[in-house]
C-alpha cells in the first residue's frame, strides 16, 4: 500500500470526512474564544483587586471584583465543557465512518490482495490508527486552536502590560521552539515505526490465539513465546525512543516556564520597586506567564498527538484509497426458478506473486454444467481445485469471458445478485465466536433469524441431533473459530450455513474431509436428496478428496497440475483405469477394512 502525499491526503480527508461538521467546529470555536477571553479577563480583574488593596483597601471594589471573578470562573467551566463536546463528538463520528469505509474497501479486495497482507497490521490500522485519527480531529485540533488563542491573547496582554519584560520572557520561549524542531522530525519517524511494529505484534498474537489448540498440542508454547518476545522487545525499544524524545521536549517546556517566572521576579520585581509597574500589574503578569508556560507544555503533548494522528491517518488512508479488485459489475442475473447454468471457457490463472517459471495454477480449463446438474471435481493436493472454486465464487478475479453464469460474464454480474443465487461452503470452516444460531444464519440480522429454517439446515447437515444434546442448543457459543466444536461439527455447521439460504448454485469445497465415513454417507444421501427433490431448481459443484462424495455426480472432472486429465461419470472413470480408478480402489479398500 502506497503512503499518500500530504498535499492530497489532508484536502481529501477534509472533503470526505471533516467538512460536513464545519458548523459544529464553528460553534466549538466560539466556545473556545469565550473560554480564552474569560481566562484572560480574570488576571485583569486580579490586577484591579491588588491595586485596590494597595491604594488603601477599597473593600467595595474588592467585593465587586471578587464576585466578577467567581462568575467568570463558573462561565469558563460551562463554555470550556461545551467546546470539548463540540470538538470531540465529530471526532467519534469520523472514526466510526472511517472504520466503516475501511471495512467496505477491504471487502472489495480479492484473495490475491489478502495473500500479501498481514492480518494483524490491518487490525492495528482499524483499531489503533483509527483511534489516533479520532484524537487528531478532536482532542489535538482543540489543543491546537486553544494553544494559538491562549498564546496570542496572553502575549497581547503581556505586551500591553510591559513591553520590555515581555521581550525578556519571549527570548527563552523562542530558543526552546528552535530546539524542539530537531526532535519533531525524529519523533514522527519513530511514531510510524511504533505503529507498524504494533501491527506485526498484533499479527503474531492473532496467529497464536487462532492456533492455540495446535500450539498446545505440539507443546510449542516456548517457541511462540520467544517469537513474541522478539516483536515485543522491538516494539518496546521503539517506544523507549519515543519516550526519550518526549522526555526531551516536555521538560524543555517546563524549564522555559520556570525561567520566565525567574525573569518576572528578577526583572519585574525591580520594575515594581521603581514604580514602572504596579503590584497589580505584577500579579496579573504572573498569571500571564503561568498561562504561557502552560501553553508551551501543552505544545509538547500537542506535537505527540499530531504526530500519532497524522501517521494514523496515513495508514488508514492507505486502506481507504484501495481500489477493489474483486470481480463485480452492475449486471443483475436474469430472474429464474431453475438451477444456474455454468460455462467455463479456456480458463487459465496464475497467482500474481507466483514464480514466473512455475506452471500456472490453472491451464485451459473448459466445461459446462447444465441447470440442475451435479458436477464433481477431484484432484491431488495442488491440482488447482481450490483455485477453481475461488474463481467461481469471486474470491479471485477471473479473466474476462472465462466464466459465465446463465450466459452472463461473472465479472460483470452485480455482487448482490450473485450472492443471492450462490451458496458456498468453503474448504476451511470458519465460525464466528457467537452462538450456533447466529453462525448458521449469519446472513440475517439477529432479530430476523428464522429458527425453523435454522433447524431444517442443521438437520440437513446431520448436526441437529448433536445440537439438541447440547445444554444450550442453538444458543451454544462455538468459541473463537469454532474452537468448542470438533472438526466434523465445524464443517457441518458451515454446510448448514449454506443450506440455510435459498440458492440456485451450490458450491461445496471439500466440506466433508473431517467427518467420519458413516456421517459422510448419510450427508451425501441428504445432499443428493435435496438436489434430486427439486433438481430443476438447483445446480451443484462438489469438490472432494473422497471419491464416494462424487459417485452421484452427472460428470466428474479430475484435475492434476492445473489441467483436466480425466472426465466422465463415475462408472466411466472407474472403467478407464486412470488416476480416478486407482484412487477409487484404494479408498474402497480402506473403507471395507474400516
Amino acid at each position: 500500500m502506497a503512503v499518500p502525499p500530504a498535499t492530497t491526503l489532508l484536502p481529501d480527508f477534509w472533503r470526505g470526512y471533516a467538512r460536513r461538521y464545519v458548523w459544529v467546529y464553528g460553534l466549538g470555536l466560539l466556545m473556545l474564544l469565550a473560554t480564552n477571553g474569560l481566562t484572560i479577563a480574570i488576571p485583569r480583574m486580579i490586577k484591579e483587586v491588588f491595586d485596590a488593596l494597595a491604594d488603601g483597601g477599597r473593600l467595595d471594589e474588592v467585593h465587586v471584583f471578587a464576585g466578577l471573578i467567581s462568575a467568570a470562573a463558573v462561565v469558563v467551566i460551562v463554555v470550556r465543557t461545551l467546546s470539548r463536546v463540540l470538538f470531540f463528538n465529530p471526532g467519534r463520528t469520523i472514526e466510526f465512518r472511517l472504520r466503516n469505509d475501511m471495512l467496505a474497501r477491504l471487502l472489495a479486495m480479492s484473495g490475491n490482495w489478502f495473500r500479501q497482507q498481514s492480518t494483524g497490521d490491518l487490525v492495528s490500522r482499524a483499531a489503533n490508527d483509527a483511534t489516533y485519527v479520532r484524537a487528531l480531529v478532536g482532542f489535538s485540533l482543540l489543543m491546537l486552536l486553544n494553544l494559538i488563542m491562549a498564546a496570542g491573547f496572553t502575549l497581547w496582554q503581556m505586551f500591553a502590560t510591559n513591553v520590555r519584560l515581555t521581550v525578556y520572557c519571549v527570548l527563552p520561549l523562542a530558543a526552546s521552539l528552535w530546539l524542539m524542531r530537531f526532535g519533531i522530525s525524529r519523533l514522527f519517524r519513530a511514531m510510524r515505526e511504533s505503529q507498524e511494529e504494533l501491527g506485526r505484534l498484533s499479527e503474531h498474537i492473532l496467529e497464536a490465539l487462532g492456533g492455540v489448540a495446535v500450539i498446545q498440542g505440539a507443546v510449542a508454547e516456548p517457541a511462540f513465546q520467544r517469537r513474541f518476545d522478539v516483536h515485543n522487545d522491538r516494539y518496546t525499544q521503539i517506544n523507549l525512543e519515543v519516550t526519550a524524545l518526549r522526555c526531551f521536549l516536555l521538560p524543555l517546556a517546563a524549564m522555559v516556564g520556570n525561567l520566565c517566572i525567574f525573569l518576572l521576579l528578577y526583572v519585574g520585581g525591580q520594575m515594581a520597586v521603581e514604580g514602572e509597574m504596579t503590584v497589580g500589574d505584577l500579579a496579573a503578569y504572573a498569571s500571564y506567564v503561568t498561562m504561557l508556560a502552560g501553553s508551551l507544555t501543552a505544545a509538547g503533548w500537542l506535537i505527540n498527538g499530531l504526530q500519532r494522528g497524522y501517521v494514523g491517518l496515513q495508514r488508514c488512508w492507505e486502506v481507504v484509497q484501495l481500489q477493489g479488485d474483486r470481480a463485480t459489475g452492475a449486471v443483475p442475473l436474469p430472474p429464474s426458478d431453475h438451477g444456474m447454468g455454468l460455462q467455463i471457457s479456456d480458463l487459465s490463472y496464475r497467482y500474481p506473486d507466483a514464480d514466473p517459471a512455475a506452471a500456472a495454477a490453472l491451464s485451459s480449463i473448459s466445461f459446462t454444467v447444465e441447470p440442475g446438474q451435479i458436477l464433481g471435481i477431484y484432484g491431488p493436493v495442488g491440482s488447482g481445485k481450490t483455485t477453481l472454486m475461488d474463481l467461481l465464487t469471486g474470491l479471485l478475479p477471473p479473466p474476462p469471458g472465462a466464466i459465465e453464469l446463465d450466459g452472463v460474464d461473472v465479472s460483470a454480474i452485480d455482487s448482490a445478485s450473485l450472492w443471492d443465487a450462490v451458496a458456498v461452503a468453503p474448504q476451511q470452516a470458519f465460525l464466528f465466536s457467537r452462538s450456533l444460531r447466529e453462525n448458521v444464519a449469519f446472513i440475517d440480522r439477529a432479530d430476523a433469524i428464522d429458527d425453523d429454517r435454522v433447524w431444517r439446515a442443521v438437520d440437513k447437515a446431520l448436526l441437529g441431533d448433536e445440537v439438541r444434546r447440547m445444554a444450550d442448543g442453538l444458543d451454544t457459543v462455538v468459541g473463537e473459530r469454532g474452537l468448542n466444536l470438533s472438526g466434523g461439527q465445524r464443517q457441518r455447521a458451515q454446510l448448514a450455513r449454506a443450506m440455510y439460504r435459498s440458492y440456485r448454485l451450490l458450491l461445496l469445497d471439500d466440506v466433508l474431509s473431517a467427518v467420519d465415513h458413516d456421517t459422510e454417507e448419510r450427508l451425501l444421501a441428504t445432499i443428493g436428496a435435496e438436489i434430486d427433490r427439486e433438481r430443476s431448481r438447483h445446480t451443484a459443484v462438489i469438490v472432494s478428496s473422497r471419491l464416494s462424495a462424487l459417485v452421484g455426480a452427472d460428470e466428474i472432472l479430475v484435475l492434476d497440475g492445473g489441467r483436466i486429465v480425466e472426465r466422465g461419470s463415475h462408472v466411466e472413470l472407474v472403467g478407464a483405469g486412470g488416476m480416478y480408478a486407482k484412487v477409487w480402489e484404494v479408498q474402497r479398500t480402506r473403507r471395507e477394512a474400516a
Side-chain angles (χ1 to χ4, degrees):
M1 291 183 282
V3 178
T7 53
T8 60
L9 172 59
L10 295 178
D12 289 346
F13 177 73
W14 165 255
R15 288 190 296 268
Y17 291 90
R19 185 168 59 183
R20 67 180 62 187
Y21 305 108
V22 65
W23 66 273
V24 181
Y25 285 126
L27 288 176
L29 185 61
L30 290 176
M31 295 299 105
L32 205 55
L33 281 169
T35 300
N36 283 280
L38 289 170
T39 303
I40 288 296
I42 290 175
R44 292 204 304 270
M45 289 185 278
I46 293 175
K47 170 188 178 312
E48 297 298 332
V49 170
F50 275 90
D51 287 344
L53 292 173
D55 288 344
R58 301 193 303 269
L59 294 181
D60 291 342
E61 292 184 25
V62 171
H63 291 157
V64 170
F65 281 113
L68 290 174
I69 292 172
S70 299
V74 172
V75 176
V76 165
I77 293 174
V78 174
V79 294
R80 187 187 297 273
T81 301
L82 288 175
S83 69
R84 276 146 178 74
V85 170
L86 291 168
F87 273 93
F88 291 172
N89 282 356
R92 294 191 176 277
T93 307
I94 288 172
E95 177 190 24
F96 173 77
R97 293 180 53 233
L98 184 62
R99 283 176 169 163
N100 282 344
D101 289 346
M102 292 172 68
L103 176 61
R105 294 291 185 176
L106 292 176
L107 291 176
M109 303 309 294
S110 70
N112 276 338
W113 186 84
F114 283 101
R115 281 161 56 92
Q116 304 172 45
Q117 305 301 320
S118 163
T119 303
D121 182 64
L122 294 176
V123 171
S124 181
R125 290 172 191 257
N128 303 311
D129 293 320
T131 300
Y132 294 143
V133 173
R134 180 192 75 198
L136 174 68
V137 297
F139 177 76
S140 296
L141 180 60
L142 172 70
M143 288 277 289
L144 176 62
L145 295 174
N146 188 62
L147 177 62
I148 293 172
M149 291 182 188
F153 287 171
T154 302
L155 286 172
W156 175 59
Q157 286 295 324
M158 290 172 68
F159 275 109
T161 303
N162 192 286
V163 175
R164 185 159 64 94
L165 183 57
T166 302
V167 171
Y168 278 115
C169 291
V170 167
L171 285 176
L173 172 64
S176 69
L177 292 176
W178 182 79
L179 288 173
M180 288 175 70
R181 72 184 181 90
F182 291 104
I184 292 174
S185 60
R186 179 53 197 154
L187 185 63
F188 179 82
R189 292 194 300 272
M191 292 288 187
R192 186 172 185 90
E193 291 173 7
S194 171
Q195 287 164 236
E196 290 174 349
E197 190 61 37
L198 180 59
R200 287 188 282 271
L201 182 61
S202 300
E203 171 69 11
H204 179 76
I205 294 173
L206 286 174
E207 286 181 343
L209 292 176
V212 63
V214 177
I215 295 172
Q216 292 174 339
V219 196
E221 294 93 333
F224 269 80
Q225 182 63 49
R226 286 193 297 272
R227 294 174 188 173
F228 171 82
D229 290 340
V230 170
H231 290 292
N232 194 48
D233 289 344
R234 172 63 179 157
Y235 182 61
T236 301
Q237 289 300 320
I238 295 174
N239 279 279
L240 285 174
E241 182 178 356
V242 171
T243 302
L245 290 168
R246 289 171 57 188
C247 287
F248 165 74
L249 297 175
L250 296 182
L252 181 63
M255 182 187 70
V256 172
N258 292 331
L259 181 58
C260 290
I261 293 293
F262 168 76
L263 291 172
L264 170 65
L265 295 176
Y266 183 75
V267 179
Q270 290 182 352
M271 292 180 177
V273 171
E274 295 171 357
E276 190 176 341
M277 295 178 64
T278 67
V279 175
D281 288 333
L282 198 62
Y285 206 95
S287 298
Y288 297 144
V289 169
T290 302
M291 292 167 59
L292 189 61
S295 298
L296 189 58
T297 303
W301 292 104
L302 175 62
I303 291 171
N304 180 47
L306 291 175
Q307 297 281 14
R308 281 196 180 275
Y310 184 71
V311 171
L313 179 58
Q314 282 184 319
R315 285 167 51 80
C316 290
W317 208 256
E318 290 171 4
V319 178
V320 170
Q321 69 179 359
L322 288 172
Q323 299 298 318
D325 61 348
R326 284 190 59 185
T328 183
V331 179
L333 282 170
S336 176
D337 292 331
H338 298 284
M340 185 177 292
L342 178 61
Q343 177 74 41
I344 308 296
S345 304
D346 196 27
L347 172 62
S348 297
Y349 188 80
R350 179 187 296 275
Y351 287 97
D353 57 347
D355 184 354
L362 293 174
S363 299
S364 302
I365 302 294
S366 298
F367 60 86
T368 299
V369 184
E370 299 295 336
Q373 286 188 333
I374 299 176
L375 175 71
I377 299 176
Y378 169 77
V381 174
S383 61
K385 305 185 301 297
T386 299
T387 300
L388 177 58
M389 293 297 279
D390 287 346
L391 288 166
L392 291 177
T393 57
L395 294 177
L396 294 177
I403 302 178
E404 293 184 355
L405 300 178
D406 279 350
V408 182
D409 187 349
V410 70
S411 61
I413 298 175
D414 170 62
S415 57
S417 173
L418 177 64
W419 289 109
D420 280 344
V422 178
V424 183
Q427 184 177 13
Q428 294 183 343
F430 184 91
L431 300 179
F432 301 95
S433 184
R434 298 180 181 179
S435 68
L436 191 58
R437 173 190 289 103
E438 290 175 294
N439 271 282
V440 171
F442 86 116
I443 62 170
D444 289 336
R445 300 191 317 272
D447 58 353
I449 294 176
D450 185 340
D451 274 9
D452 291 336
R453 284 177 61 195
V454 174
W455 279 115
R456 286 196 297 271
V458 296
D459 285 334
K460 290 176 184 177
L462 299 187
L463 190 60
D465 291 342
E466 295 171 50
V467 173
R468 291 180 178 91
R469 290 196 295 269
M470 296 177 182
D472 296 323
L474 290 176
D475 293 319
T476 301
V477 177
V478 302
E480 185 72 24
R481 297 177 181 265
L483 190 62
N484 296 333
L485 304 180
S486 67
Q489 287 174 329
R490 287 197 293 271
Q491 284 193 331
R492 282 177 285 156
Q494 185 155 267
L495 181 59
R497 179 186 288 167
M499 295 294 187
Y500 176 82
R501 60 186 303 167
S502 57
Y503 58 85
R504 295 174 54 212
L505 175 61
L506 177 64
L507 303 176
L508 305 180
D509 187 5
D510 210 6
V511 295
L512 307 181
S513 59
V515 301
D516 59 79
H517 177 67
D518 179 60
T519 303
E520 177 196 25
E521 293 289 346
R522 291 188 292 134
L523 270 172
L524 291 172
T526 301
I527 295 172
E530 169 81 6
I531 295 175
D532 286 338
R533 185 164 50 251
E534 297 179 282
R535 178 169 278 266
S536 64
R537 298 184 59 187
H538 300 302
T539 303
V541 177
I542 303 176
V543 172
S544 180
S545 56
R546 292 183 180 179
L547 300 188
S548 55
L550 309 178
V551 172
D554 296 287
E555 184 179 26
I556 301 171
L557 305 180
V558 180
L559 300 182
D560 191 21
R563 298 179 179 273
I564 299 177
V565 295
E566 299 178 45
R567 65 194 310 163
S569 67
H570 171 73
V571 174
E572 291 170 344
L573 291 175
V574 170
M579 178 193 296
Y580 185 93
K582 294 175 182 177
V583 175
W584 170 257
E585 182 61 26
V586 171
Q587 293 186 2
R588 184 186 64 81
T589 302
R590 289 178 179 174
R591 286 199 305 273
E592 290 176 353

